[in-house]
């Protein structure tokens, strides 16, 4: 792969022929521009002001949505990931240009903006209640009432639903033409769209880890984007679609890895799941003794006596160190990344001290955070809410002629093709509707259809 091809400001739905969008669109059509923003900055602004991005404020990150102590939700997490992504992309772009001065003045200078925008979008497809919401959708088809649909719907759609994945749903959300919307969905640039697809292959290739990057309904769209950008195709004709990652995916993934692990540690300290001593040891473990002493000396010199603020200072130091490490790792492995042969993530290839410290944080997070009572309570409740919504809405979509089905389907937003004569389209519309809910809306809808919450008459 090469940078000149990989960084394209072509927009889905506005340039060239797109088989996945139903044919040839308006060719060279671009709206008149009234400012000097780049196409990549327009992507960023478009996401910031979008309804799906705004809904992230009511979607769980790890801990229950805030009571007296404010912890991260999907919105604050995405903004922090975007901040780190901007630094990663900008640092990598600067060094690539230093190595290859001929790229100066090219679109590669905007890597920071592209990566940052992809970071904003990376969680857009996550259903309510995080991973328990994903699992509820998957198991509805593998363990519950949805299993009877096998044979009624196509095998590709069955694979998609039984492996339902927030990453693939994000690509659908940004590219699918929902009812009343324009061709190309959000009409984002090709490079930004490719940068969010962490697993660039069809659900038939998901294997035991269950991850994939796009639904069958968006396979042609992804193929158009990938081929235009010169991404390496790994599948032979006739096989399920599979590509090597777009290089910027590694930077988006690294920004996410840095933020969710380190910020979860900080949140756990605020919620008193971790003591000050435990948290300080985990964060200072990323540095050698001299740097540890320097950090504590700065805390003392600046008279930071509040323990929470001390943790904030250490956390900021760790994020800065990990950002530098991941950028350096990307640059050290640039050739294998461009060849499509680099394996694993950047965070797993950083320096030994930082890699071991990150591993310790992961182990502690698993034992004391992700298995803590507040987190398990949300997962258990969320799973029940999501399973009930799936049971009710999928059954209504499959049997729409019944009175109750008709009443229930009237609650589905008009952007989803719930009235389609095609059963697969109706099933996917129901899944789209549920996956797009916030935690708060999903709980409210659940209570209403169960008769435990009634509007005041």
């Amino acid at each position: 792969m090469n940078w000149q091809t990989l960084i394209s400001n072509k927009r889905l739905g506005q340039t060239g022929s797109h088989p996945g969008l139903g044919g040839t669109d308006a060719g060279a059509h671009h709206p008149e521009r009234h400012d000097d923003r780049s196409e990549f900055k327009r992507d960023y602004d478009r996401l910031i002001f979008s309804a799906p991005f705004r809904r992230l404020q009511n979607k769980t990150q790890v801990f229950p949505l805030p009571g007296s102590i404010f912890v991260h939700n999907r919105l604050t997490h995405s903004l922090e990931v975007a901040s780190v992504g901007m630094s990663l992309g900008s640092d990598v772009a600067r060094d690539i240009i230093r190595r290859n001065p001929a790229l100066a003045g090219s679109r590669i200078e905007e890597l920071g903006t592209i990566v940052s925008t992809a970071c904003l979008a990376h969680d857009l497809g996550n259903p309510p209640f995080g991973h328990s919401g994903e699992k509820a959708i998957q198991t509805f088809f593998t363990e519950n009432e949805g299993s009877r649909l096998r044979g009624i719907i196509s095998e590709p759609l069955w694979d998609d639903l039984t492996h339902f994945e927030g990453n693939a749903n994000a690509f659908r959300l940004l590219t699918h033409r929902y009812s009343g919307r324009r061709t190309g969905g959000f009409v984002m640039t090709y490079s930004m769209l490719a940068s969010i697809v962490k697993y660039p292959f069809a659900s038939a290739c998901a294997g035991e880890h269950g991850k994939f990057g796009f639904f069958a309904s968006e396979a042609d769209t992804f193929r158009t984007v990938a081929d235009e950008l010169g991404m390496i195709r790994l599948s032979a004709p006739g096989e399920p679609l599979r590509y090597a990652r777009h290089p910027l995916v590694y930077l988006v993934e690294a920004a996410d890895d840095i933020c969710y692990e380190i910020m979860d540690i900080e949140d756990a300290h605020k919620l008193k799941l971790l003591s000050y001593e435990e948290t300080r040891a985990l964060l200072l473990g990323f540095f050698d003794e001299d740097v540890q002493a320097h950090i504590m000396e700065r805390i003392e010199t600046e008279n930071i006596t509040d323990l929470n603020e001390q943790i904030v200072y250490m956390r900021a130091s760790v994020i800065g160190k990990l950002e530098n490490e991941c950028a350096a790792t990307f640059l050290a492995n640039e050739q294998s990344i461009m060849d499509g042969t680099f394996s694993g993530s950047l965070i797993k290839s950083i320096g030994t001290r930082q890699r071991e410290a990150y591993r310790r944080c992961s182990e502690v997070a698993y034992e004391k955070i992700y298995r803590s009572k507040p987190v398990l309570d949300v997962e258990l409740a969320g799973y029940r809410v999501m399973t009930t919504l799936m049971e009710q809405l999928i059954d209504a979509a499959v049997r729409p002629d019944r009175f109750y089905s008709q009443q229930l389907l009237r609650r589905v937003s008009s952007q989803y093709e719930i009235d389609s004569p095609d059963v697969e389209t109706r099933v996917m519309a129901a899944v789209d509707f549920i996956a797009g809910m916030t935690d708060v809306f999903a709980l409210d809808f659940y209570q209403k259809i169960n008769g435990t919450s009634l509007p005041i008459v």
Side-chain angles (χ1 to χ4, degrees):
M1 295 180 278
N2 72 82
W3 288 114
Q4 296 282 29
T5 306
L6 287 166
I7 309 303
S8 170
N9 62 4
K10 286 187 177 181
R11 290 192 173 278
L12 190 69
Q14 285 191 347
T15 307
S17 177
H18 301 290
L21 302 174
T24 304
D25 57 29
H29 169 69
H30 280 280
E32 183 181 354
R33 302 307 191 194
H34 299 284
D35 55 50
D36 294 328
R37 289 179 300 159
S38 71
E39 295 303 317
F40 306 116
K41 182 60 168 65
R42 292 177 193 279
D43 281 350
Y44 184 95
D45 295 344
R46 189 169 295 178
L47 279 181
I48 283 285
F49 286 93
S50 71
F53 184 73
R54 193 160 55 246
R55 286 197 292 267
L56 292 176
Q57 68 183 311
N58 268 335
K59 288 195 174 186
T60 303
Q61 173 64 16
V62 173
F63 298 104
L65 291 174
S68 58
I69 299 176
F70 192 88
V71 291
H72 289 82
N73 55 40
R74 291 283 175 186
L75 181 69
T76 51
H77 167 70
S78 296
L79 289 169
E80 289 168 350
V81 175
S83 177
V84 175
M86 176 66 79
S87 297
L88 281 167
S90 298
D91 288 352
V92 166
R94 184 180 60 250
D95 270 40
I96 289 174
I97 292 171
R98 180 180 55 78
R99 295 177 181 181
N100 188 354
L103 291 174
S106 70
R107 286 190 289 266
I108 199 171
E109 293 181 344
E110 297 201 66
L111 287 195
T113 302
I114 300 170
V115 173
S116 184
T117 305
C119 290
L120 288 180
H122 83 285
D123 272 350
L124 284 184
N126 282 32
F129 307 108
H131 296 302
S132 65
E134 278 184 333
K135 187 57 70 175
I137 294 174
Q138 295 166 9
T139 56
F140 171 76
F141 294 100
T142 58
E143 301 176 5
N144 297 305
E145 288 297 310
S147 60
R148 61 188 173 85
L149 291 179
R150 187 161 200 179
I152 296 175
I153 61 177
S154 67
E155 199 63 23
L157 179 57
W158 178 258
D159 282 341
D160 288 348
L161 295 175
T162 55
H163 294 94
F164 181 90
E165 219 280 329
N167 190 252
N169 197 44
F171 188 77
R172 175 176 172 82
L173 184 67
L174 291 175
T175 62
H176 184 71
R177 186 179 189 180
Y178 294 98
S179 296
R181 306 303 174 89
R182 57 180 170 171
T183 299
F186 276 59
V187 193
M188 309 300 278
T189 60
Y190 283 18
S191 293
M192 180 269 159
L193 288 172
S195 298
I196 70 167
V197 183
K198 191 173 177 180
Y199 314 102
F201 43 82
S203 57
C205 304
E208 292 184 0
H209 64 76
K211 302 293 187 180
F212 68 106
F214 45 85
F215 295 120
S217 52
E218 282 71 59
D220 285 342
T221 300
F222 184 78
R223 181 189 295 110
T224 297
V225 170
D227 290 347
E228 174 70 29
L229 297 178
M231 292 167 60
I232 298 171
R233 181 166 176 169
L234 302 176
S235 57
E239 294 180 348
L241 207 58
R242 187 182 187 96
Y243 283 83
R245 281 178 166 186
H246 189 289
L248 297 188
V249 170
Y250 289 100
L251 299 180
V252 175
E253 179 183 47
D256 188 30
D257 287 342
I258 291 169
C259 288
Y260 83 75
E261 199 69 80
I262 304 306
M263 299 311 300
D264 286 352
I265 295 292
E266 181 183 340
D267 280 349
H269 175 257
K270 288 180 181 177
L271 293 171
K272 303 189 185 307
L273 295 175
L274 293 176
S275 69
Y276 171 80
E277 290 74 18
E278 289 175 307
T279 309
R280 181 179 66 179
L282 287 170
L283 296 178
L284 291 181
F286 286 87
F287 307 99
D288 62 30
E289 291 182 1
D290 288 343
V291 176
Q292 290 184 28
H294 175 71
I295 290 173
M296 297 310 296
E297 182 182 338
R298 286 293 301 272
I299 288 173
E300 184 177 348
T301 300
E302 296 187 21
N303 197 31
I304 304 174
T305 57
D306 183 275
L307 297 185
N308 282 325
E309 285 303 303
Q310 290 186 15
I311 295 300
V312 167
Y313 187 92
M314 296 176 209
R315 179 263 299 158
S317 300
V318 171
I319 288 179
K321 180 62 175 177
L322 289 176
E323 188 275 327
N324 290 335
E325 286 284 322
C326 286
T329 300
F330 183 96
L331 292 162
N333 294 278
E334 182 186 0
Q335 190 58 57
S336 62
I337 289 172
M338 300 297 274
D339 291 342
T341 58
F342 183 78
S343 62
S345 62
L346 296 180
I347 204 77
K348 291 182 178 179
S349 299
I350 58 178
T352 302
R353 181 186 297 278
Q354 288 72 40
R355 188 169 67 250
E356 285 302 303
Y358 187 91
R359 183 186 58 78
R360 286 195 295 274
C361 285
S362 298
E363 290 175 351
V364 170
Y366 180 76
E367 290 297 326
K368 295 196 173 184
I369 300 176
Y370 307 140
R371 298 177 69 180
S372 66
K373 184 177 181 296
V375 173
L376 290 175
D377 285 348
V378 169
E379 290 185 348
L380 289 169
Y383 185 89
R384 173 55 56 195
V385 170
M386 290 291 289
T387 298
T388 302
L389 296 183
M390 289 292 293
E391 289 171 350
Q392 298 287 329
L393 283 161
I394 296 296
D395 186 55
V398 173
R399 299 191 288 175
D401 295 334
R402 298 178 309 155
F403 170 76
Y404 182 72
S405 296
Q406 293 172 14
Q407 294 292 90
L408 187 58
L409 295 179
R410 288 190 179 100
R411 288 296 312 273
V412 177
S413 172
S414 61
Q415 68 178 299
Y416 305 116
E417 297 179 77
I418 202 67
D419 296 326
S420 170
D422 176 60
V423 65
E424 290 196 2
T425 302
R426 296 197 303 271
V427 166
M428 198 63 211
V431 173
D432 285 335
F433 177 55
I434 295 170
M437 294 178 178
T438 64
D439 295 16
V440 174
F441 183 84
L443 178 59
D444 179 65
F445 197 78
Y446 166 83
Q447 291 172 333
K448 284 185 168 65
I449 65 177
N450 277 316
T452 56
S453 173
L454 293 173
I456 297 174
V457 178

